Amino acid sequence: MIVHDLFLPLPLPVLSAGIMLMLADMAWRRSVARGLSLGLVTLLAALATVTCHVGALPHDGAGLFVQDRWTACTGLLVLFSALCILLMSWRDVACGKMCPGGEYSLLLVLATLGATAMVFSANYIPFFLGLEIVGMSLLGLLAFRHHHFMQACEAAMKYLILSGLSSAILLFGMGLAYACTGSLRFAPPVPVEGMPPAMAMVATVMILVGMFFKLSAVPFHMWLPDVMEGAPVPVAAFIAVVSKIAMFSAFVRYFGAGAVPPFLNSVLSAVIILTILGGNLLALRQGSLMRLMACSSIAHVGYLLIAFFSPGPLQSGAITVYLVAYTVSTLGVFAIMSAFAPPTGPDGTALADWRGVFSTRPFLATAMSLMLLSLAGIPPGIGFFAKFEIAATGVEHQRDLLLCVLVAGSVIGLYYYLNIIRIMIGATTSPRANMGRRTQPELTALIIVLSMIVVIGGLFPARIIQPLLLPPSGGTMRPGE
């Protein structure tokens, strides 16, 4: 490539340089603390350069990457989430509870590089490479739970098989799209003359199925609760937040590049309905907080798809606000779960263990209640305005059926979120109440910061939300603005 044609968003070389430094450090002398510190510095540097780039964007838009306000927003969320997840796992990794090796921070930064590459991609090749980097790194991270070896191996095997299957479908769809258009540009294929239209249709459907697999939309969702249950808490947070934001960002860029093909309208409607109802109904039956959060994240994908399916002036703001609310609230729940786990014993994902937490751990119980209320869409959490924005996009386009499903799903979600608060208010019966506690200043600070964002975003939404809003597109979402 000629140097003046180069265009590279700066977070990518920053993360790559950090990974090389961490590899060199491991080759010289293994140190878990130094690896964690290098990972922290790398993520902070990438976060500071999320809007910067090297070179100039090609005028014809044929580059491998793109940088605009959409990438700035989703890239910021990806890097901020990775930073929070590193802080969540700091104590366990440093104390050797999660794994005695120092590869954890390296794999986490590597997975973040893959997710960031997906966010900035404007071409099939960097998108697929980023997707596979995330997948390969997550396999290692899933197996890090060495105190629960069998569960970790089962989760890693399920993820390997299903991730491989979905990647194969996605890659086949991309191959068909390239055969139709002769271009690797990241956009739904439009068949050229001489090509059968059915080929473009099949390519679009296969890419859509592959992306829905990765987003765990119904009916491609069953892997998520099993995989998250077998993963360490911070790794489960990565799967629920970072990988979903990266894939949703790519989904919006791909299918938002033009009008959604008409034949997909009924497909999208059916997937949205099944995803919202399926995720919420599955969450009702869960006795594990980890599985409940997995099912909850499935339902939230359905809410986001309503906004995507309702193009217009409110669309970009609704998607952005909902992503912010979901990210902050979900990270908060996982951070509290990490703080709740005692130095020895189980990791506190069983709902029964949370009984009476209001009397034994009032700070954690209060913060958990705030996060759950935000996810349920109840004031004063930022989730209330996020769900309101999603509903507004549906009203604007008169998506009456989807709005009814949104309301039904929210009512079901309200039940299981409030049920957790009810359990925390109940009398203490668990021996976990007497288990030792850890001093974790980094987790306490993280929970306070996330709680403040949730509350301030709920009380003063304009101050938090307005700087994050993308300019109205006046039509289908166009991330290039």
Side-chain angles (χ1 to χ4, degrees):
M1 177 179 287
I2 301 172
V3 174
H4 60 73
D5 287 338
L6 177 71
F7 175 79
L8 193 60
L10 207 49
L12 297 177
V14 167
L15 288 168
S16 303
I19 290 167
M20 295 307 293
L21 271 177
M22 294 166 78
L23 279 171
D25 174 66
M26 288 177 64
W28 175 55
R29 185 178 296 168
R30 282 174 179 264
S31 168
V32 175
R34 197 165 51 241
L36 286 168
S37 303
L38 280 174
L40 181 66
V41 171
T42 302
L43 290 175
L44 283 172
L47 193 62
T49 57
V50 74
T51 58
C52 305
H53 61 266
V54 178
L57 192 65
H59 295 297
D60 58 358
L64 295 178
F65 299 103
V66 67
Q67 197 165 34
D68 51 25
R69 293 194 67 182
W70 176 242
T71 60
C73 175
T74 51
L76 190 68
L77 288 177
V78 164
L79 293 167
F80 173 75
S81 304
L83 194 60
C84 293
I85 290 163
L86 184 67
L87 291 175
M88 274 182 219
S89 40
W90 191 288
R91 191 71 52 163
D92 288 341
V93 176
C95 298
K97 182 184 177 185
M98 193 175 286
C99 187
E103 294 84 357
Y104 180 86
S105 50
L106 175 66
L107 287 173
L108 185 63
V109 177
L110 194 60
T112 308
L113 171 65
T116 310
M118 289 168 66
V119 165
F120 285 103
S121 292
N123 187 289
Y124 286 124
I125 292 175
F127 165 73
F128 193 74
L129 285 176
L131 183 66
E132 289 307 294
I133 290 173
V134 173
M136 292 298 108
S137 307
L138 276 177
L139 276 178
L141 290 170
L142 283 167
F144 255 80
R145 202 181 182 197
H146 70 125
H147 288 305
H148 304 270
F149 181 72
M150 293 306 294
Q151 282 179 295
C153 286
E154 183 184 345
M157 283 301 295
K158 281 183 180 175
Y159 186 78
L160 172 67
I161 294 169
L162 293 173
S163 175
L165 175 66
S166 58
S167 294
I169 295 171
L170 194 59
L171 191 60
F172 195 19
M174 289 177 186
L176 288 177
Y178 179 69
C180 287
T181 62
S183 168
L184 290 171
R185 191 170 181 175
F186 204 58
V190 178
V192 295
E193 190 176 350
M195 283 289 175
M199 186 181 286
M201 190 183 298
V202 172
T204 305
V205 169
M206 294 189 80
I207 291 172
L208 189 69
V209 167
M211 288 188 169
F212 278 161
F213 238 119
K214 303 293 184 184
L215 284 170
S216 61
V218 178
F220 312 105
H221 63 291
M222 286 308 293
W223 63 273
L224 187 66
D226 294 342
V227 170
M228 281 180 61
E229 189 180 28
V233 172
V235 178
F238 192 96
I239 296 171
V241 178
V242 177
S243 63
K244 287 209 172 190
I245 293 174
M247 180 50 72
F248 192 77
S249 173
F251 177 84
V252 168
R253 180 167 300 284
Y254 188 83
F255 288 101
V260 175
F263 72 93
L264 285 184
N265 287 337
S266 54
V267 174
L268 275 174
S269 296
V271 169
I272 291 170
I273 293 169
L274 290 173
T275 302
I276 292 176
L277 293 180
N280 281 307
L281 290 173
L282 278 175
L284 281 177
R285 304 171 49 196
Q286 306 303 327
S288 161
L289 189 52
M290 194 79 89
R291 291 184 69 88
L292 187 146
M293 288 304 297
C295 298
S296 159
S297 77
I298 293 170
H300 285 288
V301 168
Y303 300 143
L304 276 166
L305 287 174
I306 290 181
F308 171 77
F309 195 42
S310 306
L314 300 177
Q315 183 198 41
S316 56
I319 290 179
T320 309
V321 172
Y322 203 89
L323 278 178
V324 172
Y326 171 75
T327 300
V328 176
S329 307
T330 305
L331 285 175
V333 170
F334 282 102
I336 294 163
M337 288 168 67
S338 297
F340 182 65
T344 57
D347 52 11
T349 57
L351 272 179
D353 293 338
W354 290 79
R355 189 172 297 282
V357 174
F358 259 108
S359 57
T360 58
R361 312 282 292 272
F363 169 70
L364 292 184
T366 306
M368 178 65 101
S369 302
L370 276 175
M371 302 301 173
L372 293 173
L373 289 175
S374 177
L375 286 171
I378 302 292
I382 187 174
F384 169 72
F385 291 98
K387 202 162 280 186
F388 179 81
E389 290 273 347
I390 295 284
T393 60
V395 171
E396 187 184 25
H397 279 264
Q398 299 180 341
R399 307 281 189 201
D400 298 335
L401 179 59
L402 297 184
L403 285 171
C404 291
V405 174
L406 170 68
V407 172
S410 300
V411 171
I412 299 170
L414 189 61
Y415 173 80
Y416 60 76
Y417 287 130
L418 291 181
N419 185 48
I420 302 173
I421 299 176
R422 181 188 66 79
I423 291 172
M424 291 192 295
I425 293 174
T428 305
T429 57
S430 170
R432 291 178 57 84
N434 300 318
M435 285 187 179
R437 300 178 188 178
R438 293 181 293 180
T439 304
Q440 303 174 93
E442 73 282 354
L443 266 183
T444 305
L446 178 61
I447 293 168
I448 291 173
V449 169
L450 292 173
S451 302
M452 287 175 65
I453 296 174
V454 166
V455 174
I456 294 173
L459 294 178
F460 309 102
R463 290 179 184 275
I464 294 288
I465 293 170
Q466 199 63 36
L468 299 171
L469 291 182
L470 298 172
S473 62
T476 300
M477 191 165 183
R478 291 174 296 180
E481 291 182 339

